[in-house]
Amino acid sequence: MILRSLRAAMAATASIAAVGGAVAIMAAPSAAQADEGMWTFDNFPIQTVNQKYGTRIDQAWLDRVRNASVRIQGCSASFVSDEGLILTNWHCVVGCVQELSDAQRDYVKNGFTAGTREEEVQCPGQTAEVLTEITDVTDRVIAAGEGLEGAAFNTARQAAVNQIQTEACAGDAKFNCQVISLYRGGQYSLHKFRKYDDVRLVFAPENQAAFFGGDPDNFNFPRYALDAGFLRAYEDGKPVESPNFLKWNPEAPSEGDVTFVSGNPGSTSRLLTMSQLERLRDQQLPIMLIQTSELRGRLLEYSLTGDEAKRTSFDPIFGLENSFKVYYGQQGALTDPAFMQAKREAEAELRTRVAADPNLKQQIGDPWTELEAVQGVARDLYLPYRQLEQAAGGGSQLYAMARAIVRSAGADEARRARLAATVGEETPISTDMEELRLRYWLSKTREYLTVDNPQVKAMLGRESPEALAGRLIDGTRMADADFRRQAAGMTLEQMKAADPLLAFVAANDEAAQAIAGRWAAEVNAPTARAAEKVAQARFAVYGTNQYPDATFSLRLSYGEVKGWTYRGVTVPPFTYIGGLYERATGSEPFNLAQAFADNEARVNKAVVYDFVSTNDIIGGNSGSPVINADGEVIGAAFDGNIHSLGGSFGYDGDLNRTVSVSTAAITEALRNVYPNPRILAELGVR
C-alpha cells in the first residue's frame, strides 16, 4: 500500500526490499533511464516520452493534467467531473470514514454511499489543493542565507521563505503558497495552490473489498483490491465548478499502452550521500523498525479486546503495518553489499569529476566531507531529538493538540484564532488508544534515554510510564472540542492550571524545543548548505535534465502497462474480477466483502480488476490518477510491487511496478456491486 505518507504517524517513504534485484542509481542522469523519474511539470521530458512511445504530449496537455490533479491530506487525487467530484484511493479516505463511524454505524466495515448531494458528509480537516502556478525563487532563498551559519542561517532562510509565501498569497485564504526545496536545496520553487477547505465523502466501499488480502498481499501482485473512493470539493456550500477534469474511460488498458501518473510523491532519498545513507542504515532505521514493530504489537493485542477496539484500531494498525514493511525494505537495501557498492561508485564518479575541474572544486569545496562531519553530530543528537520532539506523544492526538496549544501561548491573536478553529473541530478520540500510545512513548523514552537522564526524570518524577499516562488521559479535558477552543486562548499559566495534560506538556516543552533548536542549527542548517553544493556539482557535471527527489509536490511519471519476470517467473500485468472469487478462502484477510459475495451472479468476472505499469511512484502517490495518452483517467494508483520498495533510493525498470485499480473495475462495482447510478451518470457512463 503506497500509504499517505503525511497522515501516518511515521513517514512511510518507500524503499528497497531485500528480495529485489539491481536498482538503477542516478549516477549520470543526462537522460532518465528506462521509465525513471518523478518529474516536475515545468521540466517534464516531453521529447523523450514522445519519441519512445509515439505520443503527442505538449504543454497544453500538461497544463490540462496539472489543473485536474488534486493534492489531499497525505495523498493524491484528481477531478473527474466538472462538479468537483474527486477520485482517490479508499485508503486515503478511510481516516475520514472512521471518523464518521461509531459503534452503531461502522462505515469502514460496511462502506459508505451518499445517495444524494445532501448526504455527502464533510471530512474533518480534509482539504483539496490544485497547483496553479510554479515560480523559480532559488536566487532569493539562497541569497537570504549567504554568510550565515547555524540558527542564524535557518532564521534568515525561513524569513525569506515566509516573505515569498506571504507576498504570493497576499492574504487570500483561497490560496496556499508553498516554497518547495528541490534537488536537496539546489533549487527552490514557489508553488501556488487553489485551496478548498470543504471536502465531503461521496463513496467508499467496504474495507474488505478495498483491502482484500490485507497485509500479506500488501506490496505484492497479483492483487484484487477495489482501493478507490470518491470525494467532492465544495465552496460556499455548493459543489466546486471544475472545468479542468479528467474524462472517465470505463475501458481497461491493454498491455503496452502508455500510462502517466500525476500525483504528489512524498519523499525519496535518491540524492543522499553515502555518509547519510550509512547513518540511516545504522541508526535511524533499526530504531524505527523496533519501535514500529512494538507499537503494532500493542495495538494488535488491544484490537482483540472487543469489537469496538477492533473498529477504532483498524486504521492505526493499517498504517503501522504498512510502515513496518517499508522500513524493512529500506533496511534490506542498505544492508545489500551490491547496492551500497553501486552507490559508492556513483558518488566516487561525481567526486572525481568535481576534483578534475579546478573552478568547480573551488566553487563548491568538499560538501561530502562536510556531510560526514554532520552525521557524527546527528548520531549524538538523534535519540533525544526523536524521543523528546520528533516522536513525542507516540502518536497521541490529545498530546499533539496539547503541544500545539502550549506552543501558541506567545503567538499573535490571528494565529491563535486559527489554531482554535483547527483544534476545535469535532473528532472522535479513543481514550484507550490515547493512553496506550502515551504509555508506549513514555516507556520508550525512559528506555532509550535511560532512567538517569534529566529530561526523563523531569517527565516521570516518581511515577511509572503506565501510571503517568493513565493519570494524564483520565484527567485531561482535551477530548472536549469546546475546551480545546477555550484553551487555545488561554495564557500559559491558565493552561497549566486548567488541565493536567497541558501542564505536563508545558513543564517539559522547554527541553523539547531546546533539542529541536540544536537539531535545526547543528544538523539541518549545515546539511542544507552542503546538500546545495552537491546539487550544484550534479548540475555542473550532468546538466539540468534531471528530476529532483520527491517532496510531496506535484510530479508526473510516465511508463507503460507491463508485467515482469523475476527468477524465471513471469507475472502478467492484469488481474480480473473473477480471480477475486477464486482467491477467496472465507478466512481473513481473504474473505469476500459482503457486497461482492451477495452480487456474484451480477458481476462481470471478465473485467480487468487491477493492473501494473512501469511508472515510477512512491508514498504520497496514493490516489494518483493513471492517465492514458488522450488525457483520460484509466485507474487510480494504490500500491507498488515488492520490488518497488526500492523506490526511495533508486529505480529498476525491469522489476519496479506501480499497482492500480482500473476504472473498468470501479465502473463495474458502481453498476453491480454497490449500485450508484448517480455517480455513473456524473462520470458520463451509461
Side-chain angles (χ1 to χ4, degrees):
M1 192 69 60
I2 304 295
L3 188 70
R4 59 272 188 217
S5 58
L6 300 186
R7 187 177 174 89
M10 302 178 185
T13 55
S15 42
I16 294 176
V19 301
V23 175
I25 307 299
M26 289 179 57
S30 57
Q33 303 173 17
D35 291 334
E36 179 179 346
M38 304 170 205
W39 297 85
T40 57
F41 271 72
D42 56 350
N43 190 33
F44 187 75
I46 295 174
Q47 185 176 355
T48 299
V49 175
N50 286 341
Q51 286 179 347
K52 179 172 184 177
Y53 287 109
T55 52
R56 296 181 179 179
I57 304 304
D58 57 17
Q59 190 59 48
W61 188 95
L62 292 175
D63 290 343
R64 286 195 299 274
V65 170
R66 173 177 55 78
N67 286 318
S69 301
V70 179
R71 183 171 74 171
I72 60 176
Q73 295 295 313
C75 277
S76 302
S78 59
F79 284 124
V80 289
S81 85
D82 60 0
E83 296 181 274
L85 188 65
I86 295 171
L87 170 69
T88 188
N89 288 151
W90 166 87
H91 78 262
C92 293
V93 302
V94 67
C96 167
V97 176
Q98 185 147 356
E99 289 184 340
L100 297 177
S101 299
D102 54 34
Q104 289 71 45
R105 297 171 299 178
D106 189 347
Y107 296 128
V108 175
K109 178 181 178 181
N110 301 317
F112 176 92
T113 299
T116 65
R117 291 278 173 88
E118 290 71 27
E119 293 175 3
E120 296 174 0
V121 184
Q122 186 171 5
C123 288
Q126 186 59 275
T127 58
E129 297 181 329
V130 178
L131 180 60
T132 60
E133 296 178 28
I134 305 173
T135 307
D136 188 344
V137 294
T138 305
D139 291 345
R140 188 171 170 185
V141 174
I142 290 179
E146 287 183 355
L148 301 174
E149 301 292 339
F153 173 86
N154 288 334
T155 300
R157 279 285 183 89
Q158 192 57 54
V161 167
N162 291 343
Q163 184 64 28
I164 293 168
Q165 293 174 165
T166 300
E167 291 173 0
C169 274
D172 191 338
K174 292 182 178 180
F175 290 91
N176 175 27
C177 296
Q178 182 180 1
V179 173
I180 294 173
S181 172
L182 301 171
Y183 305 99
R184 297 280 161 181
Q187 184 181 97
Y188 291 87
S189 184
L190 171 67
H191 286 204
K192 187 173 183 178
F193 299 89
R194 181 66 167 88
K195 183 179 180 181
Y196 303 99
D197 292 317
D198 184 354
V199 179
R200 306 185 189 183
L201 183 64
V202 177
F203 169 78
E206 301 155 278
N207 68 317
Q208 193 52 34
F211 198 39
F212 178 85
D215 189 57
D217 268 1
N218 194 16
F219 288 114
N220 282 300
F221 196 81
R223 292 293 294 277
Y224 301 89
L226 189 70
D227 198 344
F230 288 96
L231 302 168
R232 192 184 305 278
Y234 280 73
E235 191 169 46
D236 299 325
K238 300 177 182 178
V240 166
E241 294 182 6
S242 49
N244 293 295
F245 68 93
L246 300 176
K247 182 181 177 182
W248 188 268
N249 185 334
E251 303 298 324
S254 299
E255 187 167 5
D257 282 358
V258 63
T259 50
F260 301 86
V261 173
S262 176
N264 302 276
S267 176
T268 55
S269 302
R270 297 179 185 182
L271 302 182
L272 291 184
T273 64
M274 284 305 301
S275 64
Q276 291 173 303
L277 290 174
E278 286 165 352
R279 188 175 71 82
L280 182 63
R281 175 196 66 194
D282 298 339
Q283 184 186 44
Q284 288 177 256
L285 279 171
I287 292 170
M288 289 192 290
L289 274 166
I290 291 169
Q291 292 206 14
T292 302
S293 178
E294 181 172 339
L295 180 57
R296 177 183 64 168
R298 294 191 184 201
L299 284 172
L300 284 170
E301 285 298 309
Y302 170 70
S303 72
L304 300 176
T305 61
D307 291 342
E308 183 63 3
K310 182 177 181 179
R311 183 186 73 81
T312 57
S313 63
F314 175 86
D315 193 33
I317 292 172
F318 173 74
L320 284 167
E321 288 182 334
N322 190 81
S323 296
F324 180 82
K325 187 169 282 190
V326 167
Y327 298 146
Y328 179 79
Q330 286 185 326
Q331 191 69 354
L334 297 183
T335 53
D336 179 349
F339 170 75
M340 293 298 275
Q341 182 60 30
K343 294 291 285 187
R344 286 189 190 94
E345 291 172 359
E347 183 172 299
E349 181 196 349
L350 178 57
R351 296 179 72 168
T352 300
R353 299 274 291 270
V354 170
D357 185 336
N359 291 331
L360 182 58
K361 182 173 176 56
Q362 183 178 14
Q363 177 187 347
I364 71 165
D366 186 1
W368 294 274
T369 298
E370 293 172 18
L371 285 167
E372 287 175 16
V374 172
Q375 302 321 302
V377 177
R379 283 187 180 91
D380 292 339
L381 295 181
Y382 179 67
L383 277 176
Y385 171 66
R386 174 183 170 78
Q387 292 306 123
L388 300 178
E389 174 66 13
Q390 187 185 53
S396 161
Q397 292 176 275
L398 296 179
Y399 183 94
M401 289 187 287
R403 185 167 72 171
I405 290 171
V406 167
R407 292 186 175 180
S408 74
D412 59 66
E413 191 173 328
R415 179 184 164 190
R416 299 186 76 178
R418 290 193 297 270
L419 178 64
T422 300
V423 300
E425 291 184 349
E426 293 286 350
T427 183
I429 292 173
S430 167
T431 55
D432 286 348
M433 279 203 297
E434 290 293 300
E435 183 177 335
L436 184 154
R437 286 183 177 275
L438 203 61
R439 184 170 65 238
Y440 161 78
W441 166 62
L442 290 168
S443 67
K444 291 294 104 179
T445 301
R446 184 178 66 179
E447 176 182 333
Y448 279 78
L449 301 189
T450 76
V451 173
D452 296 314
N453 180 276
Q455 280 73 50
V456 172
K457 286 184 174 181
M459 283 197 301
L460 294 179
R462 294 183 175 277
E463 293 182 273
S464 68
E466 295 75 18
L468 177 57
R471 177 173 66 81
L472 293 176
I473 297 303
D474 287 345
T476 187
R477 298 164 62 193
M478 285 292 294
D480 181 355
D482 289 335
F483 174 76
R484 295 196 296 267
R485 281 190 290 270
Q486 295 170 16
M490 293 178 183
T491 66
L492 191 58
E493 291 305 314
Q494 288 172 330
M495 293 177 194
K496 293 178 183 178
D499 187 86
L501 183 56
L502 289 171
F504 173 80
V505 172
N508 294 282
D509 200 49
E510 184 177 346
Q513 296 215 53
I515 191 64
R518 288 193 63 189
W519 186 268
E522 299 175 42
V523 178
N524 289 346
T527 296
R529 276 239 182 252
E532 285 173 9
K533 296 174 185 177
V534 173
Q536 291 167 14
R538 294 182 65 83
F539 288 141
V541 172
Y542 301 129
T544 58
N545 187 24
Q546 310 173 41
Y547 63 90
D549 264 328
T551 54
F552 199 58
S553 54
L554 188 63
R555 307 295 178 86
L556 186 66
S557 71
Y558 63 91
E560 63 178 314
V561 177
K562 186 178 181 180
W564 75 96
T565 299
Y566 181 64
R567 292 181 176 174
V569 177
T570 296
V571 181
F574 302 110
T575 61
Y576 300 87
I577 292 180
L580 168 72
Y581 293 93
E582 296 171 2
R583 195 174 182 84
T585 66
S587 300
E588 291 186 3
F590 295 99
N591 52 310
L592 283 175
Q594 192 61 50
F596 272 87
D598 292 344
N599 294 291
E600 181 176 1
R602 302 177 57 191
V603 172
N604 182 354
K605 295 182 179 179
V607 169
V608 168
Y609 206 158
D610 298 331
F611 65 93
V612 294
S613 63
T614 61
N615 294 87
D616 189 3
I617 69 169
I618 203 77
N621 268 119
S622 288
S624 295
V626 184
I627 304 164
N628 64 17
D630 294 325
E632 301 168 331
V633 60
I634 57 171
F638 71 89
D639 205 357
N641 65 353
I642 194 69
H643 310 289
S644 74
L645 286 171
S648 186
F649 305 122
Y651 174 82
D652 182 349
D654 291 332
L655 297 174
N656 283 28
R657 293 296 181 268
T658 290
V659 182
S660 304
V661 57
S662 73
T663 51
I666 299 170
T667 301
E668 181 66 18
L670 292 174
R671 277 178 177 150
N672 293 318
V673 181
Y674 307 99
N676 198 315
R678 184 173 74 95
I679 294 179
L680 289 174
E682 188 170 351
L683 295 173
V685 178
R686 296 180 179 178

